[in-house]
Amino acid sequence: NAGVTQTPKFQVLKTGQSMTLQCAQDMNHNSMYWYRQDPGMGLRLIYYSASEGTTDKGEVPNGYNVSRLNKREFSLRLESAAPSQTSVYFCASSEYGLGLYGYTFGSGTRLTVV
Amino acid sequence: TQLLEQSPQFLSIQEGENLTVYCNSSSVFSSLQWYRQEPGEGPVLLVTVVTGGEVKKLKRLTFQFGDARKDSSLHITAAQPGDTGLYLCAGRYNQGGKLIFGQGTELSVKP
C-alpha cells in the first residue's frame, strides 16, 4: 500500500549512542516532517522539509539533525541520545502549499534511551 | 507560540452515549483538521474544515468549525467501542503553513 514507511519500529539506545531514523514516502509528496509524541503533549514538530533540498527547524529541534536525501526520503539523526529523547517518533508527508491536504503519517518508531 | 487547546483530555463513556470534543485557539485558522490515532499507529486524517460555520458529517461523527474560525468541535453520536482512540485536532494559521496539533483527547468507549 502507498504511504509512509518508517524504520525501525522499536529501538533501545544507551545514553550517548547515536542512531538514524529512516522515513520514505511513495506518494510523490513535496513536504516531509518529523514529529515526536509524548503523553499529554500531542505531536511536536522537530524538523521539516518543505521541498527537496530544504530543511527547517520546528518547535523542538535541539539534539536532532535531519537530511532530505531525495524527494522520497527524510531521515532524523540523534547524535548523542539522552533519556529526554525517549519518545515515539512519527514521520509524515504532505503536498506543499495546499492547505486543504492533510498529512500522511508513518506508523512510528518507539525509542527508549536508557 | 500558537496554542491549540483540546478538551477534555480524557473521556471514558459507555457504548451508546454521545460525546463532544472541543478544540480552541485565540488565533484564527485558515483551515482545521481532525485526526484519529489508534494504539501503535500514526494519526489518520478524518476531515478538513475551511469555512467558518462549516459542518461536516462522517457517519456518526459531526465536525463543526466555529463562525470566527477560532474553534472546532467533534461530536460522536451513539459511541461504539470501535471509536476508542486518540482524537487530535490540528490547525493551519495561514494557507500552506505547517500544521499545529492539539494535545489530543483520549476516548475510551466501554461495551
Side-chain angles (χ1 to χ4, degrees):
Chain A
N1 289 341
V4 177
T5 303
Q6 288 184 240
T7 56
K9 289 192 181 299
F10 301 94
Q11 184 71 48
V12 178
L13 289 179
K14 293 182 179 179
T15 297
Q17 286 185 318
S18 62
M19 79 161 294
T20 300
L21 282 64
Q22 306 287 353
C23 174
Q25 53 92 9
D26 58 6
M27 297 168 288
N28 203 36
H29 284 167
N30 288 297
S31 301
M32 298 185 74
Y33 313 83
W34 276 105
Y35 284 88
R36 59 177 290 173
Q37 186 174 40
D38 302 291
M41 302 190 73
L43 288 158
R44 292 184 292 168
L45 183 64
I46 305 171
Y47 269 94
Y48 68 101
S49 171
S51 60
E52 187 179 356
T54 69
T55 61
D56 284 289
K57 295 179 180 179
E59 185 184 351
V60 288
N62 291 345
Y64 305 95
N65 284 299
V66 290
S67 295
R68 182 74 182 266
L69 304 170
N70 47 56
K71 191 171 185 179
R72 290 186 64 247
E73 298 171 287
F74 189 37
S75 62
L76 178 71
R77 182 160 178 84
L78 287 69
E79 292 290 351
S80 179
S84 61
Q85 294 178 305
T86 292
S87 187
V88 182
Y89 291 85
F90 287 99
C91 177
S93 69
S94 74
E95 292 291 341
Y96 172 72
L98 297 175
L100 299 184
Y101 283 79
Y103 289 6
T104 301
F105 285 86
S107 57
T109 295
R110 186 173 295 273
L111 175 67
T112 302
V113 183
V114 299
Chain B
T1 303
Q2 295 159 328
L3 292 176
L4 245 174
E5 299 286 341
Q6 270 188 253
S7 62
Q9 196 170 350
F10 299 97
L11 196 51
S12 181
I13 61 173
Q14 294 296 128
E15 183 176 1
E17 292 183 6
N18 301 331
L19 67 114
T20 303
V21 176
Y22 298 94
C23 178
N24 293 285
S25 173
S26 57
S27 302
V28 175
F29 299 117
S30 67
S31 63
L32 187 137
Q33 297 175 336
W34 285 91
Y35 290 78
R36 179 168 171 264
Q37 183 179 15
E38 296 190 32
E41 298 296 327
V44 175
L45 178 66
L46 295 174
V47 75
T48 300
V49 285
V50 179
T51 306
E54 184 175 2
V55 176
K56 283 192 173 179
K57 293 194 174 185
L58 188 65
K59 297 184 181 177
R60 293 175 294 100
L61 278 61
T62 301
F63 304 87
Q64 187 158 6
F65 202 13
D67 291 341
R69 291 187 289 132
K70 291 184 177 181
D71 57 271
S72 181
S73 64
L74 158 60
H75 182 79
I76 301 180
T77 304
Q80 299 177 359
D83 295 328
T84 293
L86 179 69
Y87 290 82
L88 294 155
C89 66
R92 281 190 174 89
Y93 291 99
N94 52 74
Q95 191 73 2
K98 301 181 299 297
L99 277 178
I100 307 297
F101 283 84
Q103 71 270 47
T105 294
E106 195 142 1
L107 172 65
S108 174
V109 182
K110 301 188 189 320

